Amino acid sequence: MSPAAQALSMIFLYLAVVLVVGVAARLKGTFSISEYLVGGRAFGLFLLYFLMVGDIYSGFAFLGAGGWAFRFGVPIFYSLAYSAIAYIVFYFLGPKIWRVGRDQGYITQPDFFEGRYESPILGLFVTLFGFLYMIPYLQLQIMAGGLIFNAASFGLMPKEWGILLAFLIAGLYVYTSGLRGVAWTNVVQAIVMLGMAIAAIVYVIPSLFGSLGQMFRQLAETSPRHLTLPGAKGDLGYAWYTSTTLMSGLGFWMWPHLFQNTYSARDDRRIRITAVFAPFYTFLVAITATLGFAAILIVPDLKEADLAVLEVVKRATPPWFLGLVGAGGLAAAMSTADTLTLCPAGLLGRNIYQRWINPGAPEMHVARIIQRLTILVLGISVFFAFYAPSLLVYLLLVGYSGITQFFPGAILGLYWRRATKVGILSGLIVGEVLAALFLFVPGWKHPLGIFAGFWGLVFNFLMALVVSLRTTPPEVKTLRKFGLA
Amino acid sequence: MPGANVKRGLILAIICVTAFIWPVTALVNRIEPMVLGMPFFMFWHVLWVFITIGVLAFLNWVLKI
């Protein structure tokens, strides 16, 4: 068997397992919006844990982190830092989000914002911004999947074919099985991605360098700038590191799919335990980053940094093993793409169609609409990946900064009775505008070296606090629902 | 006392957050000493992810908040 055939057979094996598990997961009980989007709020610890880690660790954790380490060096560890902070935030915030979701019957993130602030307009804003930021993120996973397929098959499988095959499978199990399909396939995918990353590092580093210490000693001599801030290019200093870490850590759970997944837990105890053990998966990034460091020594002239991990593995292992590591990367991309297909379809179906277009629509009808919308969402993203890969690049760049701007509305809404819809909406608009300005306008980028989205977050909070104190708070009966009166 | 435990838990959480940001990052921004084969900056991050897991476990099972 040729090297490409050996590698591809491993990837096909993985895809076959995912397809069977995803479709077999099917829906339990009556088909409904709650069953389709949040698993009927019945997930135990096992499914909840793998749902979360599979969704969180994306194609970036596998390819991007290695590429970052290769290009910039240790600034990549901001990813470990913000993940740890994000899980601390989740430990405190997650159970509260879950409880109001259960008591008020919330299914999506905009349901929370609309309910807490008695504001359909705020709900609409959160729906539209969430949708706009998730689509390019989904497109990125699709493109990462194509890249992995191509590289792991020694160029035999064209990117487009890889994309069609992998995301047809993801689309199929999302369509048939909703969040249950996402969660059960995440079990397989999360095990494959971390397992293969561990196997790669255990095998690759000793065979290429003797030991981890010897590799880093060599790197300290040849390229010491990779091993301290401000990194190899000299532009990622303390201000950038701290502001990006805080912004990403605080805003992490504001991604609509992660916020919404919180509702799928059976109880709040399981959310806390998930928060305790989820940081173990952060080591996936440390592993792929280490393989990226190895690439600096092994393939210093590499043109496409995102291929650093696979190129290093290719040079140290047999082809079938590369296929397995490729499957790990594909698992990381697919396990995030599936939820990013489901959640935007839910936002369109529940918060646009049911809320604004056809408010009297029966539950079952809306659930069917959402199911069909998953095809539309995935189709649009694959179309962009094929024909206009750069079209949404600005949305992607502003994505993390933009999504973080939901944070004041969430935390103040849960802990501060004086938070008002005018305050939160004006803070959100100021935050989004400042983040975009400081990201894109020449001469204004990242003032004082502090990341754009962090500036947005600071002024967002200030605006939300000041305006809230000067406007009328929600009615007492609304506050009572949130335990604030 | 649940209120006191929440306060203790928040203090521990803030210590974990502080470990990952300036000025602490400035103190640990070095290659030497290498620990377990890792440059010190990397080791610091790996260590504090483990400590964060320990702190969250303490919050959940000991402080019960």
Side-chain angles (χ1 to χ4, degrees), chain A residues 69-70 205 208-209 211-224 226-227 290-302 308 312 315:
Chain A
F70 177 81
I205 300 298
L208 288 176
F209 303 98
S211 72
L212 191 65
Q214 279 169 301
M215 181 189 93
F216 277 118
R217 289 250 165 262
Q218 223 175 307
L219 199 56
E221 279 168 25
T222 54
S223 188
H226 270 92
L227 298 183
T290 302
L291 293 169
F293 284 121
I296 300 167
L297 297 166
I298 302 293
V299 276
D301 299 323
L302 184 67
V312 166
R315 277 163 174 74

Side-chain angles (χ1 to χ4, degrees), chain A residues 131-142:
Chain A
F131 184 83
L132 280 178
Y133 294 138
M134 275 194 289
I135 295 300
Y137 193 17
L138 171 58
Q139 185 198 327
L140 187 71
Q141 304 309 316
I142 292 169

Side-chain angles (χ1 to χ4, degrees), chain A residues 62-63 147-149 151-152 306-315 322 325-326:
Chain A
F62 220 93
L63 290 185
L147 194 68
I148 292 166
F149 231 123
D306 285 343
L307 289 179
V309 170
L310 292 176
E311 286 297 326
V312 166
V313 172
K314 196 184 270 183
R315 277 163 174 74
L322 177 71
V325 175

Side-chain angles (χ1 to χ4, degrees), chain A residues 170-184:
Chain A
L172 197 65
Y173 69 72
V174 169
Y175 183 86
T176 59
S177 313
L179 195 73
R180 280 187 193 278
V182 172
W184 277 107

Side-chain angles (χ1 to χ4, degrees), chain A residues 85-99 253 271-272 275 411 414-415, chain B residues 5-14 55-56 59 63 65:
Chain A
I85 293 173
Y87 295 123
I88 294 170
V89 171
F90 187 53
Y91 186 90
F92 289 98
L93 225 55
K96 283 183 98 66
I97 292 171
W98 174 83
R99 202 168 301 119
W253 297 96
I271 292 178
R272 289 195 191 90
I411 193 158
L414 289 168
Y415 289 97
Chain B
N5 278 357
V6 170
K7 206 177 278 179
R8 284 188 198 112
L10 280 173
I11 291 170
L12 287 172
I14 289 168
V55 164
L56 290 176
L59 262 56
L63 296 183
I65 56 169

Side-chain angles (χ1 to χ4, degrees), chain A residues 75-380:
Chain A
I76 183 57
F77 291 119
Y78 90 98
S79 185
L80 260 73
Y82 86 67
S83 296
I85 293 173
Y87 295 123
I88 294 170
V89 171
F90 187 53
Y91 186 90
F92 289 98
L93 225 55
K96 283 183 98 66
I97 292 171
W98 174 83
R99 202 168 301 119
V100 294
R102 180 200 57 183
D103 294 348
Q104 308 306 323
Y106 296 155
I107 291 174
T108 65
Q109 186 185 39
D111 289 353
F112 167 83
F113 277 87
E114 179 172 345
R116 165 63 180 82
Y117 294 105
E118 302 167 331
S119 171
I121 295 297
L122 185 58
L124 184 63
F125 254 76
V126 173
T127 303
L128 295 177
F129 275 120
F131 184 83
L132 280 178
Y133 294 138
M134 275 194 289
I135 295 300
Y137 193 17
L138 171 58
Q139 185 198 327
L140 187 71
Q141 304 309 316
I142 292 169
M143 289 165 69
L147 194 68
I148 292 166
F149 231 123
N150 182 256
S153 65
F154 295 84
L156 183 69
M157 180 71 112
K159 282 179 196 172
E160 291 77 10
W161 289 23
I163 286 173
L164 284 178
L165 182 64
F167 295 97
L168 194 68
I169 289 172
L172 197 65
Y173 69 72
V174 169
Y175 183 86
T176 59
S177 313
L179 195 73
R180 280 187 193 278
V182 172
W184 277 107
T185 51
N186 275 13
V187 174
V188 177
Q189 288 159 331
I191 291 170
V192 170
M193 69 186 186
L194 188 61
M196 289 327 300
I198 291 171
I201 199 150
V202 166
Y203 188 89
V204 169
I205 300 298
S207 72
L208 288 176
F209 303 98
S211 72
L212 191 65
Q214 279 169 301
M215 181 189 93
F216 277 118
R217 289 250 165 262
Q218 223 175 307
L219 199 56
E221 279 168 25
T222 54
S223 188
R225 285 162 62 89
H226 270 92
L227 298 183
T228 52
L229 296 180
K233 311 269 184 222
D235 56 352
L236 301 172
Y238 297 125
W240 173 86
Y241 198 88
T242 297
S243 58
T244 310
T245 295
L246 284 176
M247 182 204 80
S248 307
L250 295 175
F252 193 77
W253 297 96
M254 297 303 112
W255 279 101
H257 57 294
L258 300 179
F259 194 100
Q260 183 174 310
N261 284 352
T262 309
Y263 297 142
S264 69
R266 195 178 300 158
D267 58 36
D268 53 353
R269 192 178 64 87
R270 289 175 167 85
I271 292 178
R272 289 195 191 90
I273 299 176
T274 297
V276 172
F277 292 111
F280 278 115
Y281 256 84
T282 303
F283 293 121
L284 173 66
V285 176
I287 291 171
T288 51
T290 302
L291 293 169
F293 284 121
I296 300 167
L297 297 166
I298 302 293
V299 276
D301 299 323
L302 184 67
K303 294 280 181 295
E304 193 150 13
D306 285 343
L307 289 179
V309 170
L310 292 176
E311 286 297 326
V312 166
V313 172
K314 196 184 270 183
R315 277 163 174 74
T317 64
W320 62 268
F321 191 87
L322 177 71
L324 281 176
V325 175
L330 202 54
M334 284 175 73
S335 63
T336 304
D338 52 15
T339 197
L340 287 170
T341 299
L342 186 65
C343 183
L347 294 186
L348 289 182
R350 181 169 170 87
N351 299 99
I352 300 290
Y353 179 77
Q354 190 182 29
R355 181 70 186 79
W356 297 94
I357 299 171
N358 189 359
E363 171 91 1
M364 178 78 91
H365 171 70
V366 179
R368 289 281 174 219
I369 293 274
I370 292 171
Q371 197 178 26
R372 282 165 202 156
L373 281 168
T374 59
I375 303 171
L376 182 76
V377 167
L378 191 58
I380 289 174

